[in-house]
Amino acid sequence: MIEMVIDARRKDLGGFEVGRVLPFHARRMVGPFIFLDQMGPAAFAPGAEAINVRPHPHIGLSTLSYLFEGEIMHRDNTGAVQAIRPGEVNWMTAGRGIVHSERTDPLKRSQGGPMHGMQAWIALPTEAEDVDPSFHHHGEADQPAYENGGLFARLVAGEAYGAKAAVPTSSPLFYVHWELAEGVRTTPPPGRGVAGGYSERALYVAKGEIEVGDRTFHEGQMIVLEPSAEPTVRALRPSTVMVLGGEPVGPRLIWWNFVSSSQAKIDAAKADWKAGRMALPSEDDLEFIPLPDVPSTPEPAPAPVRPDPTDPV
């Protein structure tokens, strides 16, 4: 029933912890999901630095930001300027190349407050790796939701349970947010062998404790399901769970913020960023994160921890 369990690797960014789940040395991707971080939970004091990620580039992926608490201001070089708040989605497609920043608004920073959310990267299929960059923001109304008997479920992206979210995905996937009251039982979208099922699926416990089969899992653990498994999930206490998966898009290289099926494209993106050929966001162009001085690897291998201390996403 369970193929693998991945424990988030916690990293202190200076008063703010991030839990890195994907990529993992023994499991680089789940469907097209190639990167997954849990941000926080944290409580920032008034005037604290909070989120302050300088402009940085991406290629070959879409980023998905989703918050449980707090607020982040997104700016990119397509001209998009958008705050994201709990229950909303920021979906940014890098394609052939995009540059963005993520910061806490100065007023919000002066007030302090909580921060808790998820950051995901979705690798683009080969035919979409070089599309024009774009940004889409979706409010709660764009995400189908269900609530009954202590279960709240929101379809953040993709298709599941007979519903489809508004996020413009490029390959088959699903991303669901569950809020489970103690004792509630539910099931993930079906797997391989079931009509409409997905080849790869996983559960990530962002808060609380759940039971899958006869095993117990807690906050910070990802449960990768076997392709044909059809488990029942039971909440042992109030829990927040992200359910994700989809169809594989093929092997991908990952270096710093670049994802691609081609080493040549990663090398070209490195050269473009180092030479200043990628424009900064017009409303955030006074600083940027330099290219790390870390060599690329020419074949798929466990991705290095990104060397910049701000660890941008």
Side-chain angles (χ1 to χ4, degrees), residues 205-227:
V205 186
K207 183 179 72 173
E209 188 175 38
I210 63 173
E211 183 180 73
V212 182
D214 59 356
R215 297 175 63 180
T216 298
F217 303 95
H218 55 75
E219 178 178 333
Q221 291 189 303
M222 171 177 276
I223 305 102
V224 180
L225 301 172
E226 292 180 344

Side-chain angles (χ1 to χ4, degrees), residues 82-309:
Q82 178 66 56
I84 180 174
R85 301 177 180 89
E88 301 176 345
V89 174
N90 275 2
W91 177 271
M92 183 185 75
T93 295
R96 56 183 171 77
I98 200 167
V99 179
H100 78 132
S101 65
E102 294 173 299
R103 304 186 190 260
T104 300
D105 178 81
L107 176 59
K108 293 289 183 183
R109 188 165 62 244
S110 69
Q111 296 171 341
M115 174 58 64
H116 190 198
M118 305 295 299
Q119 290 269 13
W121 293 358
I122 295 91
L124 293 172
T126 304
E127 65 273 14
E129 285 187 295
D130 293 324
V131 298
D132 290 340
S134 61
F135 176 84
H136 298 270
H137 175 82
H138 294 280
E140 294 181 64
D142 291 336
Q143 304 163 63
Y146 171 85
E147 188 167 13
N148 186 48
L151 164 67
F152 172 79
R154 174 182 287 131
L155 180 59
V156 177
E159 297 186 51
Y161 305 116
K164 183 176 182 178
V167 167
T169 57
S170 298
S171 66
L173 65 88
F174 69 92
Y175 195 37
V176 178
H177 170 199
W178 283 346
E179 290 291 335
L180 308 174
E182 182 177 342
V184 166
R185 297 174 184 267
T186 188
T187 58
R192 183 187 300 165
V194 176
Y198 289 96
S199 297
E200 299 184 2
R201 298 163 299 152
L203 312 165
Y204 179 70
V205 186
K207 183 179 72 173
E209 188 175 38
I210 63 173
E211 183 180 73
V212 182
D214 59 356
R215 297 175 63 180
T216 298
F217 303 95
H218 55 75
E219 178 178 333
Q221 291 189 303
M222 171 177 276
I223 305 102
V224 180
L225 301 172
E226 292 180 344
S228 60
E230 300 299 337
T232 295
V233 178
R234 182 169 72 97
L236 301 180
R237 52 191 175 95
S239 299
T240 300
V241 180
M242 302 305 291
V243 194
L244 61 134
E247 298 305 316
V249 294
R252 287 294 181 271
L253 298 156
I254 179 171
W255 186 88
W256 192 40
N257 303 310
F258 304 141
V259 169
S260 182
S261 61
S262 162
Q263 183 64 45
K265 289 180 180 179
I266 288 180
D267 290 342
K270 291 172 59 180
D272 286 345
W273 184 243
K274 188 172 185 178
R277 290 190 290 266
M278 301 176 76
L280 299 176
S282 60
E283 296 199 16
D284 193 352
D285 61 357
L286 299 181
E287 58 180 349
F288 60 89
I289 299 176
L291 188 76
D293 186 19
V294 177
S296 300
T297 177
E299 58 183 0
V305 174
R306 286 174 293 172
D308 190 90

Side-chain angles (χ1 to χ4, degrees), residues 46-60:
E49 184 69 11
I51 305 296
N52 189 30
V53 181
R54 294 167 288 159
H56 58 279
H58 291 283
I59 64 165

